[in-house]
Amino acid sequence: MNNLRSTLAIVWRIAAPYFRSEDKWAGRGLLAAVIGSELAIVGITVLLNQWNSRFYNALQERNWDSFVYEIIYFSVLATIYTVIAVYQLYLNQWLQIRWRRWMTSQYLGEWLHRANHYRMQLQGDAADNPDQRMTDDVKLFVDRTLNIGVGLLSAIVTLASFVVILWTLSDAAPLHMFGRDLTFPGYLVWGALIYSVLGTVLTHLIGWPLVGLDYRQQQYEADFRFNLVRVRENSEQIALLRGEPAPVTPGHDRPLPAPHDRPQGALRRVGGRARGAA
């Protein structure tokens, strides 16, 4: 729990400044539009769930008029859903571009301010390859923070919306086991919650080791890009000295990073070291 609070606090310290910056109104407006469209999609999903019941009842009763009405109703809902989903993707990417541009400008400014890019090299534990990491880590931070945040909100609203539906269905269709009906209020709700908790725990156990691997991947890719840039800048000397066989693969001269590190930790170190060096 403490690790979760610490992670959320770090994410908030990195993400919040943009929504208090000179671009705050555009950022807040786009974020509100993304959240509003996500809530609208959840609402349409609930309506489609209710449509399923009416549509198959019409098929069972062979009611032609109801069948035609439900087909038209579904077509309207599907059209609205498609428009909202496409527009949400557009707004999401627009917000990511503005947010990423602002964060990159801020970190780049701090890195170049008063020769901090040189001073950071003199510190023993400075962030590795900040020039390379600022481009990729900012992109990953913005993309994952926005997608996870909106996805979490969508999951909570979906849960609240379907709890009532599942509870009603539990009363309409009693639990039948061992040849008799068992009275268990809201058994569909409890079953869905147990399934979700077990799935979340299993996903966490399987995915947690991947956090460190993901960080190492970003670190090695940054090292690799840095080495390729050095080869291009010194191509004449390398060609004259026939130094092509020298390895340029990353990770040969550094220990593996701590598995508990995060990409946002690298961003925090870049900003912190730059301010400390100043």
Side-chain angles (χ1 to χ4, degrees):
M1 183 60 69
N2 290 333
N3 289 337
L4 178 60
R5 291 178 180 175
S6 176
T7 301
L8 292 178
I10 293 173
V11 172
W12 176 256
R13 285 199 299 268
I14 297 176
Y18 169 68
F19 296 97
R20 296 193 293 260
S21 67
E22 65 281 357
D23 198 37
K24 60 182 178 181
W25 295 116
R28 293 175 183 178
L30 288 172
L31 181 61
V34 170
I35 294 175
S37 59
E38 185 66 30
L39 296 179
I41 288 176
V42 173
I44 294 177
T45 304
V46 174
L47 294 177
L48 286 174
N49 180 271
Q50 298 172 354
W51 171 86
N52 279 324
S53 175
R54 299 195 305 270
F55 178 74
Y56 286 103
N57 286 339
L59 288 179
Q60 182 179 358
E61 298 170 0
R62 299 182 180 180
N63 189 328
W64 174 255
D65 293 335
S66 297
F67 174 78
V68 173
Y69 171 80
E70 295 302 336
I71 289 294
I72 298 175
Y73 184 84
F74 173 80
S75 300
V76 173
L77 281 184
T79 301
I80 296 174
Y81 181 93
T82 303
V83 171
I84 293 177
V86 172
Y87 197 60
Q88 184 199 37
L89 178 62
Y90 168 75
L91 294 175
N92 191 307
Q93 293 180 344
W94 189 7
L95 175 58
Q96 288 187 33
I97 290 173
R98 299 183 71 102
W99 192 356
R100 182 185 176 190
R101 180 177 61 187
W102 184 87
M103 286 190 65
T104 302
S105 175
Q106 293 298 309
Y107 282 102
L108 186 61
E110 292 185 4
W111 185 56
L112 296 176
H113 180 64
R114 297 180 60 183
N116 285 332
H117 55 90
Y118 173 72
R119 299 171 188 269
M120 289 175 63
Q121 298 181 21
L122 304 180
Q123 301 186 14
D125 59 343
D128 61 284
N129 296 321
D131 52 332
Q132 303 290 323
R133 301 298 295 271
M134 276 187 292
T135 59
D136 202 42
D137 283 5
V138 168
K139 175 181 178 296
L140 289 175
F141 175 81
V142 171
D143 178 70
R144 294 180 181 179
T145 300
L146 192 57
N147 289 335
I148 292 175
V150 174
L152 179 60
L153 176 63
S154 174
I156 294 174
V157 176
T158 302
L159 174 63
S161 301
F162 279 90
V163 160
V164 178
I165 298 175
L166 292 177
W167 197 280
T168 304
L169 290 176
S170 299
D171 294 335
L175 181 61
H176 186 78
M177 295 181 64
F178 309 111
R180 60 177 182 174
D181 292 336
L182 301 179
T183 302
F184 196 99
Y187 70 93
L188 289 177
V189 175
W190 300 114
L193 289 176
I194 293 173
Y195 174 80
S196 300
V197 170
L198 291 178
T200 301
V201 171
L202 183 62
T203 302
H204 173 76
L205 294 177
I206 295 176
W208 180 252
L210 300 179
V211 174
L213 295 178
D214 181 71
Y215 180 81
R216 291 170 185 158
Q217 177 186 359
Q218 300 304 321
Q219 187 177 45
Y220 292 160
E221 288 180 357
D223 289 342
F224 187 55
R225 291 193 300 268
F226 175 75
N227 288 331
L228 291 178
V229 170
R230 292 183 63 186
V231 170
R232 187 180 63 183
E233 292 178 345
N234 299 279
S235 59
E236 181 180 358
Q237 293 87 338
I238 294 174
L240 293 176
L241 297 176
R242 299 183 182 276
E244 289 84 358
V248 295
T249 52
H252 290 289
D253 57 349
R254 66 166 68 251
L256 290 177
H260 60 272
D261 253 333
R262 304 287 198 283
Q264 59 262 33
L267 292 179
R268 182 162 54 96
R269 288 197 299 273
V270 171
R273 297 301 179 188
R275 287 188 293 269

